[in-house]
Amino acid sequence: MDPISGLASAGGNTAGRLTHYLVLQLTSVILPGAVALTELTMLGVHFYPHPGHDVTFLLSVLAKVQGGGAILFAALGIGASFVIGYVTRAIGFALTGRVERISARIARRRGRPVRSDLGRVRHVLGDEITDELTDLHPPLAHTDADGVEVKLPAGGAHQGDGSVHAFEYNKLWLRRFSPVLNVDSMEIEINILVATALPFVLAAVEALVFPRLPVAFRLVVVAVCVVAIVIALRQAIRLRQAERWYAVRNVAFDLAMRRAAVRYPEVSAEEE
């Protein structure tokens, strides 16, 4: 098998894609959704008008659920966590996209120089690889697009211009033909970060509305939640920018490695 065929055949890993999807859904949808569901339940119990129906009462009721009722309750809990988790992640992406656009506007007003992804590839790998890269992958020419008037559907609160879909092209190429170089781990981390925003907001709300908590403790919880949200959003934005660059860079690496693999001097049997 020649090196290029070997690289291509390694991309057909259905089990790997399924594992990636399951991990993504578990870490960025179901788990944050379960946390948000718990927080919403506690808030609902707190505002329930009947006396004596507090969190302790709720826990005692749940402890009595057994057998088929427990299975049904678990299934309902997972389903609710899934739905709430999707909403939580969507809100997180919307907030991240908004902050990202505001930061980009501020950077443009301040006149900060921004090197394009292809410009970075040219700086790292040289003109020959960059020119061949755009010749083999014409969609990558759109990675320099800015302010394109035609808006296309795009997930993750991205601006739907040509550069976003060129970025998706890069990710799909790496997943199919060079899975070792893909950026799926960064995608999972970004999803986890944006999905934490709403649970932290609900935690801050609970700290403010629960009457039995000391004032100092409430202030500490709210401050920690605010700091956590800011750090999570900043890290998510940084990773979103890095993910785009790594996707382009790794496709260029893929090309350079393929060229080296077919041109590298073979080791003779005597030298082995």
Side-chain angles (χ1 to χ4, degrees):
M1 181 183 293
D2 64 276
I4 292 182
S5 299
L7 287 170
S9 63
N13 190 352
T14 304
R17 291 300 306 142
L18 179 60
T19 300
H20 168 73
Y21 177 80
L22 292 177
V23 171
L24 183 65
Q25 297 303 315
L26 177 63
T27 56
S28 66
V29 175
I30 297 179
L31 290 181
V35 174
L37 175 62
T38 303
E39 293 172 328
L40 290 171
T41 302
M42 294 179 65
L43 286 173
V45 171
H46 172 73
F47 289 109
Y48 194 63
H50 295 277
H53 290 183
D54 54 8
V55 176
T56 305
F57 172 77
L58 177 63
L59 293 176
S60 65
V61 172
L62 294 178
K64 297 178 182 178
V65 180
Q66 298 178 354
I71 296 175
L72 178 60
F73 181 80
L76 291 174
I78 294 174
S81 298
F82 196 78
V83 173
I84 294 174
Y86 258 110
V87 175
T88 296
R89 190 174 65 175
I91 293 174
F93 269 120
L95 183 59
T96 302
R98 177 74 61 177
V99 174
E100 194 174 39
R101 291 184 182 91
I102 293 174
S103 300
R105 278 195 226 104
I106 294 174
R108 284 195 296 267
R109 289 175 183 175
R110 293 180 177 178
R112 294 178 183 174
V114 178
R115 174 176 283 176
S116 68
D117 290 333
L118 284 180
R120 293 176 178 176
V121 171
R122 194 176 299 276
H123 176 74
V124 174
L125 297 178
D127 294 336
E128 184 179 354
I129 288 291
T130 306
D131 293 338
E132 186 174 355
L133 182 69
T134 53
D135 182 59
L136 290 171
H137 303 281
L140 267 62
H142 291 289
T143 56
D144 294 333
D146 186 19
V148 178
E149 292 183 1
V150 178
K151 296 299 180 182
L152 304 171
H158 288 288
Q159 297 188 53
D161 55 22
S163 65
V164 172
H165 296 280
F167 163 60
E168 290 297 328
Y169 172 90
N170 294 331
K171 291 203 299 183
L172 292 173
W173 174 272
L174 294 173
R175 288 172 181 170
R176 174 64 181 86
F177 295 105
S178 189
V180 175
L181 296 176
N182 69 39
V183 293
D184 286 346
S185 61
M186 298 183 71
E187 179 183 353
I188 292 174
E189 188 174 355
I190 292 168
N191 277 264
I192 292 173
L193 287 170
V194 300
T196 60
L198 185 59
F200 275 120
V201 170
L202 293 175
V205 172
E206 289 177 344
L208 292 174
V209 300
F210 284 180
R212 298 179 182 178
L213 297 177
V215 176
F217 181 78
R218 295 186 191 184
L219 294 177
V220 170
V221 171
V222 171
V224 169
C225 290
V226 170
V227 172
I229 293 172
V230 171
I231 292 176
L233 292 181
R234 289 188 62 180
Q235 181 69 0
I237 292 172
R238 188 189 70 81
L239 283 175
R240 275 157 67 97
Q241 295 170 349
E243 184 187 23
R244 285 199 182 195
W245 154 236
Y246 284 173
V248 177
R249 185 204 64 178
N250 289 2
V251 171
F253 279 177
D254 176 60
L255 171 61
M257 290 175 184
R258 289 169 186 266
R259 290 182 57 182
V262 297
R263 297 174 59 188
Y264 210 82
E266 294 185 0
V267 180
S268 63
E270 294 79 8
E271 291 175 334
E272 290 180 352

